């Protein structure tokens, strides 16, 4: 079938990765694998370099590429808002694509994908985070809602 | 490049003959070391042909052992699908994957 017998673990990208649930390092749900970024090296080999998850990423797969590009752009502008320091990544870099999760932060792939990251850092969690910070936290009694 | 640009892309052979569409992409974990994950996933090849339910359910994989009736049925349906190692891809141009060899030189599905 191939010129050489592969020695590593084998996966099918669409079957084993696409649309899988993402879990953060604490086991909290953190969105789904909406797409996968592939990067070509100088010798032409293609590697999986990142998981893409969050607003606008799924749209091209549903035939709405222009909407998806617009939504990702607005999300990126929002994430890079200098007045909003809740969206910086773990390195403190405020200028990043929040929908992109480098594959080095993937811990395991099983029936779900476990990340070595907190859901708070991810774009897929942005809407929930915004609702928590701007609406829920302002409700009377919200400070002890979980008690 | 994103995976969604490969999935469902049309595939043509070196003579411009239609091979089919991409159903799935085979990955092998033997690339450079990544911090939390270990070896990176390398794109080893693609499945191209007439796809449908069988591919979506994973019956194109050689390690599926049952149910035997479904497996036999889907294998017949997928008989015209091909496995294309990534080095056989010459270029990707506007959603069309061009191969560097003719259709009759392509391998059948693994398994």
């Amino acid at each position: 079938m191939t010129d050489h017998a592969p020695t590593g673990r084998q996966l099918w990208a669409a079957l084993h990765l696409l649309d899988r649930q993402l879990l953060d390092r604490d086991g909290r749900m953190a969105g789904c694998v909406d797409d996968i970024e592939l990067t070509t090296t100088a010798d032409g080999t293609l590697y999986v370099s990142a998981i893409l998850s969050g607003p606008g990423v799924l749209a091209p797969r549903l035939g709405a590429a222009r909407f998806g590009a617009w939504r990702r752009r607005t999300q990126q502008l929002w994430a890079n808002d200098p007045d909003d320091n809740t969206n910086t990544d773990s390195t403190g870099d405020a200028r990043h694509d929040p929908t992109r999760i480098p594959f080095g932060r993937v811990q395991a792939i099983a029936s779900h994908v476990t990340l070595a990251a907190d859901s708070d850092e991810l774009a897929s969690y942005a809407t929930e985070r915004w609702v928590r910070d701007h609406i829920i936290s302002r409700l009377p009694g919200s400070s002890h809602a979980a008690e | 490049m994103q995976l969604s640009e490969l999935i469902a892309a049309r595939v043509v052979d070196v003579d411009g003959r239609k091979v089919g569409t991409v159903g799935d992409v085979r990955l092998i974990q033997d690339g450079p070391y990544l911090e939390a994950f270990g070896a990176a996933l390398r794109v080893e090849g693609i499945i191209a042909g007439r796809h449908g339910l069988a591919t979506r359910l994973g019956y194109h994989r050689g390690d599926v052992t049952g149910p035997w009736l479904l497996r036999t049925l889907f294998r017949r349906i997928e008989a015209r699908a091909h496995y294309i190692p990534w080095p056989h891809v010459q270029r990707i141009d506007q959603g069309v994957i061009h191969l560097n060899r003719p259709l009759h030189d392509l391998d059948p599905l693994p398994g």
Side-chain angles (χ1 to χ4, degrees), chain B residues 2-90:
Chain B
Q2 291 177 208
L3 181 67
S4 57
E5 296 171 43
L6 286 182
I7 299 290
R10 287 190 298 125
V11 181
V12 295
D13 76 353
V14 70
D15 302 316
R17 278 178 297 190
K18 187 177 174 185
V19 178
T21 56
V22 177
D24 211 339
V25 176
R26 190 183 194 211
L27 306 171
I28 304 293
Q29 193 179 2
D30 63 357
Y33 183 80
L34 300 172
E35 39 190 315
F37 187 64
L41 293 169
R42 174 177 60 86
V43 173
E44 216 257 345
I46 55 177
I47 285 179
R50 294 180 179 182
H51 301 284
L53 192 61
T55 300
R56 295 206 180 277
L57 292 176
Y59 281 92
H60 57 287
R61 294 176 296 154
D63 57 346
V64 175
T65 54
W68 68 267
L69 184 61
L70 285 178
R71 180 166 159 74
T72 305
L73 179 67
F74 285 137
R75 293 299 292 180
R76 281 179 181 273
I77 295 170
E78 297 277 309
R80 280 179 289 180
H82 298 277
Y83 181 76
I84 301 164
W86 191 250
H88 294 180
V89 173
Q90 189 175 53

